[in-house]
Amino acid sequence: MLSFTEENYLKTIYHLSDNGLKSVMTNEIAEMMETKPASVTDMIKRLAAKSLITYEKYYGVNVTKNGKSEALSIIRKHRLWETFLVAKLGFSWDEVHDVAEQLEHIQSPLLIEKLDEFLGFPSSDPHGHPIPDKHGKFHIARQILLAESTGKKASACAVKNSTPAFLQYLSKIGIYIGASVQVLEKIEFDGSLEILVDGKKKVYISREASENILVTE
Amino acid sequence: MLSFTEENYLKTIYHLSDNGLKSVMTNEIAEMMETKPASVTDMIKRLAAKSLITYEKYYGVNVTKNGKSEALSIIRKHRLWETFLVAKLGFSWDEVHDVAEQLEHIQSPLLIEKLDEFLGFPSSDPHGHPIPDKHGKFHIARQILLAESTGKKASACAVKNSTPAFLQYLSKIGIYIGASVQVLEKIEFDGSLEILVDGKKKVYISREASENILVTE
DNA sequence: AATATTTTTTAGACTTATCTAAATTTTTAT
DNA sequence: ATAAAAATTTAGATAAGTCTAAAAAATATT
């Protein structure tokens, strides 16, 4: 069983590796974990000893199949908890991360299965990130910028900019993750869009805003 | 801020002290925590240094006002989580303890307030134990044995025996924490009772069973 | 009251996770 | 190709939490 700390390192390394596609360097990890490179080297050895990563001195680490599966299980828990906090407890998008960061380490497969069921087996979290299923499988919907949407009905699935100011603005005009959005008209003059939110509310948004909202068609 | 371990020790000491009424000895703590007396002595010093307990060598420890307030906050979290697991996720009474033991250490006052609200500000957990409010206040309802109930409508609030076998039996006859129970008739022959559960279902239970169910009138 | 028993504490060692400072290796620039 | 810079690793220290074994204090027994 992994410690709290080992789990955090592994998750960070997995994210930095781009789903296991590339090697990750010691300094990157140190910066992301807000710790010192020397500490990272120590932990790298531990994780390598447990076959979660492979490690070649001075050349960074790669996540193994085992490591990927462990990382996905942690990410699954994190995203299910975020979903719970927003959907059931009324947290806002920007309040959930730190709490989910703690909750993701709770050890109880039964709890996660029941939580998943309670939430209705969601496929993405409040930020629009996919939630892996219990086998680590997840579906990456092709996301496009709302600015590039062609007028079909689409579903808001993520934001590029997640500053409180932007999130509040979105909330104000009725856009949330999962909201239906449809581009009705593109104003050639400034690139702003008239969109239909949830099939009923028409609003205008600037080109800049439309380039920070991701949708799946 | 207290560590995971410090919180566990403090909670155990508080329980052993009977809500702060009596001194607690090193060996008691060691046994309850499944650790060695030497380790307890170390931790006692840490907790005393933080003014959560007072400590006189060879004569055990007492919980301070601060310590009591910290302990109650942890107990509040534990019981709210247990309530959540049973009421919302469909855990059974006997499955929740280990998970709640982990969840009680999550640090987020906002989370606990929202969870409390989500659960409808419950005053007792699935085992019938009182849940302290955010100021540490709780109401201890006078609990009597169902066997000693006089025929008024009462509310099942706790069990003395919490073996899976007994809990399953209760579940089968429709008794749960919070269920309304009313003694209709006492059979003098063997002390068994005919009771009305939730105002509709009549069942007979043995004297022994009725001496393991606590109710508040 | 002296001795035996039990309880508790101390002393010293081990593990995990961290750090700083110094040494080493790789990469970059001349 | 060599020197300078950057990245990484090693060595040694620290703190939390645990242990065992031995010492000390309190309690119980005769």
Side-chain angles (χ1 to χ4, degrees):
Chain A
M1 226 200 58
L2 298 184
S3 74
F4 189 98
T5 313
E6 288 167 331
E7 290 196 347
N8 280 335
Y9 271 93
L10 181 59
K11 192 185 58 159
T12 298
I13 292 169
Y14 176 76
H15 277 134
L16 289 171
S17 79
D18 233 332
N19 300 325
L21 294 176
K22 61 182 201 213
S23 298
V24 183
M25 295 300 158
T26 302
N27 272 7
E28 284 183 86
I29 301 168
E31 192 182 353
M32 189 68 101
M33 302 279 303
E34 295 182 313
T35 183
K36 304 293 167 183
S39 306
V40 173
T41 302
D42 288 346
M43 182 54 74
I44 276 174
K45 288 176 182 169
R46 293 174 56 78
L47 295 177
K50 295 190 176 186
S51 302
L52 297 163
I53 57 177
T54 55
Y55 163 51
E56 202 184 342
K57 264 188 179 184
Y58 294 101
Y59 291 93
V61 302
N62 284 91
V63 182
T64 65
K65 199 170 173 179
N66 266 344
K68 190 169 170 176
S69 145
E70 274 293 339
L72 284 170
S73 152
I74 301 162
I75 290 165
R76 167 172 162 78
K77 289 189 267 180
H78 183 99
R79 293 183 180 165
L80 283 174
W81 280 116
E82 282 200 344
T83 304
F84 167 72
L85 295 172
V86 170
K88 301 293 182 178
L89 296 195
F91 275 74
S92 63
W93 299 358
D94 49 328
E95 292 173 321
V96 295
H97 190 266
D98 291 349
V99 184
E101 203 72 10
Q102 296 180 64
L103 287 163
E104 74 189 8
H105 300 292
I106 301 294
Q107 302 288 344
S108 169
L110 180 61
L111 171 61
I112 293 306
E113 281 199 32
K114 290 197 181 261
L115 183 63
D116 196 15
E117 187 185 352
F118 181 58
L119 298 172
F121 305 104
S123 60
S124 65
D125 76 10
H127 301 99
H129 298 133
I131 300 176
D133 70 15
K134 72 173 90 170
H135 307 294
K137 304 271 174 241
F138 57 94
H139 174 71
I140 310 169
R142 216 175 68 80
Q143 300 181 345
I144 59 173
L145 293 176
L146 178 55
E148 286 156 6
S149 170
T150 54
K152 288 180 217 153
K153 202 185 267 182
S155 169
C157 65
V159 290
K160 285 181 74 172
N161 176 328
S162 51
T163 58
F166 187 56
L167 297 178
Q168 274 163 30
Y169 165 67
L170 291 181
S171 170
K172 192 169 175 183
I173 63 175
I175 293 183
Y176 55 93
I177 295 299
S180 151
V181 287
Q182 183 173 12
V183 174
L184 298 176
E185 193 183 354
K186 181 168 186 172
I187 313 298
E188 287 304 327
F189 166 62
D190 60 0
S192 67
L193 302 176
E194 185 187 21
I195 60 174
L196 185 66
V197 179
D198 270 342
K200 45 180 186 285
K201 193 178 169 194
K202 287 182 189 173
V203 291
Y204 283 95
I205 63 169
S206 70
R207 189 180 53 76
E208 190 176 357
S210 74
E211 286 174 344
N212 280 290
I213 300 169
L214 290 157
V215 300
T216 52
E217 283 185 340
Chain B
M1 225 201 57
L2 299 184
S3 73
F4 189 99
T5 313
E6 288 166 331
E7 289 196 347
N8 281 335
Y9 270 93
L10 180 59
K11 193 185 57 158
T12 298
I13 292 169
Y14 176 76
H15 277 134
L16 289 172
S17 79
D18 233 332
N19 301 325
L21 294 174
K22 61 182 202 214
S23 299
V24 184
M25 296 301 158
T26 303
N27 272 6
E28 287 183 83
I29 301 169
E31 194 183 352
M32 190 67 103
M33 301 279 302
E34 297 184 310
T35 184
K36 304 292 165 184
S39 306
V40 173
T41 302
D42 288 345
M43 183 54 73
I44 277 173
K45 289 176 181 168
R46 292 173 55 78
L47 294 177
K50 296 191 176 185
S51 301
L52 298 163
I53 58 177
T54 55
Y55 163 50
E56 201 185 340
K57 265 189 180 183
Y58 294 102
Y59 291 93
V61 301
N62 284 92
V63 182
T64 65
K65 200 170 174 177
N66 265 345
K68 190 169 170 174
S69 144
E70 274 292 340
L72 284 170
S73 151
I74 300 162
I75 289 165
R76 166 173 163 79
K77 289 189 268 180
H78 183 99
R79 293 183 179 165
L80 283 173
W81 280 117
E82 282 200 344
T83 304
F84 167 72
L85 294 172
V86 170
K88 302 293 182 178
L89 297 195
F91 274 73
S92 63
W93 298 357
D94 50 327
E95 291 172 320
V96 296
H97 190 265
D98 291 349
V99 184
E101 203 71 9
Q102 296 179 62
L103 286 163
E104 74 190 7
H105 301 293
I106 301 294
Q107 302 289 342
S108 169
L110 180 61
L111 171 62
I112 293 305
E113 281 201 33
K114 289 195 181 263
L115 183 64
D116 196 15
E117 185 184 353
F118 182 57
L119 297 171
F121 305 104
S123 61
S124 66
D125 76 10
H127 300 101
H129 298 134
I131 300 177
D133 70 17
K134 72 173 90 169
H135 309 293
K137 304 269 174 247
F138 58 92
H139 174 70
I140 309 169
R142 216 175 68 81
Q143 299 183 346
I144 59 172
L145 293 176
L146 177 55
E148 286 156 7
S149 171
T150 53
K152 288 180 218 151
K153 203 185 267 184
S155 169
C157 64
V159 290
K160 284 180 75 173
N161 175 328
S162 51
T163 58
F166 186 55
L167 297 178
Q168 275 163 30
Y169 164 67
L170 291 180
S171 170
K172 193 170 174 185
I173 63 175
I175 295 183
Y176 55 92
I177 295 300
S180 152
V181 287
Q182 183 172 13
V183 174
L184 298 176
E185 193 183 355
K186 183 168 184 172
I187 313 298
E188 287 303 328
F189 168 62
D190 60 0
S192 67
L193 303 175
E194 184 187 21
I195 61 175
L196 185 66
V197 179
D198 270 343
K200 45 180 188 283
K201 192 178 170 193
K202 287 181 190 172
V203 290
Y204 283 95
I205 63 169
S206 69
R207 190 181 52 76
E208 190 176 356
S210 74
E211 286 173 343
N212 279 289
I213 300 169
L214 291 157
V215 301
T216 53
E217 283 184 339

